[in-house]
Every structure is written in C-alpha cells, then in structure tokens.
C-alpha cells in the first residue's frame, strides 16, 4: 500500500512516538505463514514498537533478531533520540539481546544470525527470510580492514561509506554461499533493494541524479535493486519498466501460491513476469507521495494548480514517462562527486540552482531526462492538468496522517535502559477500577488521563 493508505505519509516513526504500522495492515510474512512458510526477520524494523502488538513477532515473523529503531551505533547498539533520552536497541524476539552485545559490527552479526537460521532449517520446507541490514545508514562506522582499498578517497565520509558498502557486499556473498551450502539456492529468489536515495552530507552520492534522501527528486526516490534467482527465465537482463516497492507484496504472495484477499485495496501489482520474462509492467503510474503536513510552499495555490490541486502541498506522481512535483521540493541540487572535500560537499562546486521565484509545479519527461534538468510544465499545461487530476483522485482515498506527539513514557530510563514497548493496555483498567467508588467529577478526570 502507498503511504497515503497507511497514515505514514509524513516522515518516519520517531523512537518516542506512540505509533506503528496500523494493526489492520496485513503484512507479507503473515500472508506467507498462511501457506506454510517459516518467517524470520534479521535487522532493522523501524515500523513502530510502542505496544507489544506492534512488534515484529506479532506482525508475522516467527523469529526476530535486530533493532527496533531507524538507526544506532553499529557496535554498541545504543541510540540517543535527544540528550538524556538514550537506550539499548538490540532484540531477540521480544526481549533485549544483552547476551549478544559482544561489540560485533552489526553487518557481520546479522550475517552470522542468518547463517544460523539457514543451518537449522529444513531446506525442503519453505522459508521467508527478511534481512534488513543497518548499512549504509549513518552513523558512518566500519571495521578497519575495509578501509584499505579506499585510501585514495579524500573525503572521510565518502571513504567510510565505501568501507561500509564493501562489508555489506561481503555479507551478501556470505548469505548466498550459505543458501548454496545448506541446499536452498536452487529454489530461491534473492531480492536486493534499497529504501531511498543517498544522503550526500553523509557519504552518499546520487550523481548524476538530482536531490537527496528525503526529497521527491529522482536522487531521493530512485533506488538500486536486483533480483537473483535460478528460477528467472531471462537472466542478466535490465528491467526498465515501472516497479515500485508496493509490488513485492502481491508478487511474492503469488509466487508462494498464497491468497490475496479480494476486498483489500492494494496499490501493488504482480510484476514477476516483468522481471523474469521482460514483459511490460502492469503498472502505469506511481504515486511517490502526498504529504499534507510537510512545510507548505509559500507561493503555492489552487490557482497555480488550475483549480484542481493546491500546489502548496508537497507531492510527486509518475504517469508513464511523465513526472510531476508540487509544493516545497526540498534540497534540489545536483552534487557531483568531485565536490566532496573533507567538509562534506563543497557548496561552491554544487550545481546550485536558484528555484525560480514562486515556482510550485514541475513537470519532467523522466525517460528522456532522468536528471530533471528540463522543466516542461509551461510547455505542456494539458499534461500538468492530467497529472494534477490523478493526484487529486489519489488524495480522495488518503487516510489521515498518523504522527502523534512524543510520549514521555517512552524514555528507556523507565524501561530498564532499553528502547521497547511502553504503552500498557491494563493502565486504563487500573485507573477505571480506582475511580469506581469516587464521585463523577473524579471519574471524568480519570477518563481524560486514560485517553
């Protein structure tokens, strides 16, 4: 499902927020369990944990080993959300995995866990393994030996990033070797994919694409990926069709001969034939996102959107070759590799663009111009109107944003020094029991507190 259909269309889930992927969203591992799969998760969850029902083991995974938050130290597994709000974040199933805290770099530790899972499972029985490595997310950390090949890179952030990626490459190789060693490989499908573009300020590079992580420019949303499998009909081919992350859900359930409920409205498509046989994608458009909370563009208006759409709102949509952006687009530079000094990207070498005053709509032919250098919105007003209309249709189906304020009870100090579920259902019950004998005024106060 698109973000607008889960309520998670604004930013990420913060460690202190009482929020998680809504419990009525059925997950991929839940569907695979229905058809006899063992389901295991290793790595980064980041879909919320404020109550026990949000934890990976409650959302379809038989086992979970990894972190609940979006980032943390690769060796100590500690994460501070703000000064004084710090905690440990390494889990085995539903408990803090203190005994695994041996100072092992997370990329290597997660790989060892995957090898153990594969060694102990029967390869004749179906298994779904979701490995969400922490690399190459900040903080930029890597074991010393991986730096040797990258001494020629002057910029220290870029050098660390390269070392982290070399370690990750080795990890993928080790997982593949384990699949072969334990008898899974011939009937396996390996999907390698990333969640967003790079962050030039933290070692990443999207050149020659525009923008960075967190923006809707191609540099922020176009991610690398490959599918590797003996079951592919066309091997070694490049797929240039439209493929979106929402497509994995129906694709993998169909491959596993599972059932997709007809009454759930999916935004994804089964793209296996597109990948395996080179057929046309069933997908003609991608809603990159509509974020009604993001800082509004000062000059945006309904008039600029032809009365169809308020262009102050940050959004982006792709239909066939066309891509439309509205609102405040975020960091819009192209950052060439040579602009990296030890200070991070050198501001003088960026291809700085002065966003023409008052602009809140952009249109690009992404097939011809994936670098988003030639804005065609003035030349093709009819195409702009068509895409705004499509945005408006999508927006009618959006659910309200879930972005609650931070809850002081989330502080790890109140939870044995660990980031973990803090919201307890029985607190409400205790409060209502206490108030039974009290007068109505007290009852009302307690109700407010419980809410």
């Amino acid at each position: 499902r698109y973000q607008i259909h889960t309520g998670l269309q604004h930013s990420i889930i913060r460690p202190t927020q009482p929020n998680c992927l809504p419990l009525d969203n059925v997950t991929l591992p839940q569907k695979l369990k229905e058809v006899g799969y063992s389901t295991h998760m290793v790595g980064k969850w980041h879909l919320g944990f404020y109550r026990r029902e949000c934890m990976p083991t409650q959302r379809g995974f038989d086992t979970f080993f990894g972190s609940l938050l979006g980032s943390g130290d690769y060796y100590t597994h500690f994460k501070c959300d703000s000064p004084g709000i710090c905690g440990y974040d390494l889990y085995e199933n539903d408990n803090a995995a203190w005994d695994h805290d041996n100072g092992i770099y997370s990329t290597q530790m997660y790989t060892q866990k995957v090898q153990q899972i594969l060694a102990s499972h029967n390869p004749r029985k179906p298994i779904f393994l979701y490995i969400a490595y922490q690399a190459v997310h900040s903080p930029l950390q890597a074991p010393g030996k991986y730096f040797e090949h990258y001494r020629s890179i002057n910029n220290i952030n870029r050098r660390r990033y390269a070392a982290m990626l070399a370690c990750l490459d080795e990890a993928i190789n080790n997982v593949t070797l384990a699949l072969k060693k334990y008898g899974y490989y011939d009937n396996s499908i390996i999907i390698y994919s990333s969640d967003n573009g790079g962050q030039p300020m933290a070692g990443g590079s999207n050149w020659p694409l525009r923008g960075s992580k967190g923006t809707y420019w191609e540099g922020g949303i176009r991610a690398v990926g490959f599918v590797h499998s003996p079951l592919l009909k066309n091997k070694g081919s490049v797929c240039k069709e439209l493929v979106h992350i929402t497509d994995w859900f129906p694709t993998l359930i169909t491959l596993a001969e599972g059932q997709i409920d007809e009454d759930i409205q999916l935004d994804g498509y089964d793209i296996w034939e597109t990948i395996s046989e080179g057929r046309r994608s069933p997908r003609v458009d991608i809603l990159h996102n509509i974020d009604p909370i993001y800082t509004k563009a000062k000059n945006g208006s309904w008039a600029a959107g032809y009365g169809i759409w308020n262009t102050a709102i940050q959004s982006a949509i792709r239909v066939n070759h066309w891509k439309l952006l509205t609102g405040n687009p975020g960091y819009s530079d192209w950052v060439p590799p040579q602009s990296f000094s030890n200070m991070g990207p050198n501001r003088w070498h960026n291809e700085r663009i002065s966003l023409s005053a008052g602009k809140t709509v952009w249109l690009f032919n992404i097939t011809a111009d994936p670098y988003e250098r030639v804005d065609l919105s003035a030349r093709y007003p009819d195409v702009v109107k068509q895409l705004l209309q499509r945005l408006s249709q999508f927006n009618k189906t959006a659910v309200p944003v879930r972005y609650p304020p931070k809850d002081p009870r989330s502080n790890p100090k109140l939870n044995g020094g660990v980031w973990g579920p803090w919201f307890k259902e029985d607190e409400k019950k205790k409060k209502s029991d206490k108030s039974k004998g009290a007068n109505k005024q007290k009852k009302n106060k307690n109700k407010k507190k419980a809410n």
Side-chain angles (χ1 to χ4, degrees), residues 44-82:
K44 164 179 163 176
W45 175 240
H46 206 195
L47 284 174
F49 58 88
Y50 77 105
R51 41 196 279 197
R52 295 208 85 81
E53 296 93 324
C54 300
M55 295 283 281
T57 50
Q58 306 293 312
R59 305 304 300 267
F61 288 106
D62 295 329
T63 69
F64 165 60
F65 179 74
S67 64
L68 296 174
L69 305 185
S71 65
D73 190 283
Y74 280 72
Y75 291 97
T76 65
H77 320 297
F78 260 82
K79 163 79 173 179
C80 291
D81 184 55
S82 55

Side-chain angles (χ1 to χ4, degrees), residues 376-415:
L376 301 170
S377 58
R379 202 182 308 172
Y380 295 103
D382 287 352
V383 177
V384 171
K385 286 178 196 168
Q386 280 171 14
L387 269 65
L388 290 172
Q389 201 76 52
R390 191 81 186 95
L391 259 182
S392 170
Q393 284 169 348
F394 270 123
N395 199 44
K396 289 190 178 99
T397 68
V399 301
V401 175
R402 298 164 64 103
Y403 199 72
K406 63 161 92 169
D407 183 339
R409 293 177 297 174
S410 61
N411 192 334
K413 281 182 186 156
L414 308 174
N415 197 16

Side-chain angles (χ1 to χ4, degrees), residues 1-3 5-8 13 19-28 30 45-50 53-55 59 402:
R1 279 183 177 160
Y2 287 138
Q3 304 95 302
H5 296 145
T6 62
L8 301 176
I13 296 175
N19 195 11
C20 73
L21 177 72
L23 300 175
D24 57 357
N25 280 249
V26 180
T27 66
L28 179 55
Q30 281 170 334
W45 175 240
H46 206 195
L47 284 174
F49 58 88
Y50 77 105
E53 296 93 324
C54 300
M55 295 283 281
R59 305 304 300 267
R402 298 164 64 103

Side-chain angles (χ1 to χ4, degrees), residues 29-30 32-33 37-41 60-63 127-129:
Q30 281 170 334
L32 293 175
K33 267 172 84 79
Y37 274 72
S38 290
T39 57
H40 303 273
M41 176 179 169
F61 288 106
D62 295 329
T63 69
I127 184 170
F128 171 64
L129 193 47

Side-chain angles (χ1 to χ4, degrees), residues 68 72 82 114 170 221 254 259 317 332 350 402 427 440:
L68 296 174
S82 55
V114 171
E170 187 180 277
I221 57 178
T254 306
Q259 285 298 307
I317 189 170
S332 307
N350 280 11
R402 298 164 64 103
E427 282 180 21
K440 269 187 184 174

Side-chain angles (χ1 to χ4, degrees), residues 236-256:
S237 62
V238 176
C239 174
K240 293 197 170 178
E241 292 291 305
L242 284 188
V243 172
H244 187 252
I245 193 163
T246 51
D247 299 332
W248 294 127
F249 183 89
T251 303
L252 295 181
I253 292 168
T254 306
L255 274 171

Side-chain angles (χ1 to χ4, degrees), residues 346-362:
N346 181 330
R347 301 302 304 184
W348 303 110
H349 291 136
N350 280 11
E351 299 198 24
R352 295 313 315 262
I353 34 142
S354 52
L355 285 172
S356 43
K359 196 159 179 41
T360 55
V361 178
W362 294 260

Side-chain angles (χ1 to χ4, degrees), residues 226-240:
F226 64 79
V227 176
H228 174 86
S229 172
L231 308 175
L232 286 170
K233 289 192 177 151
N234 296 355
K235 296 181 175 59
S237 62
V238 176
C239 174
K240 293 197 170 178

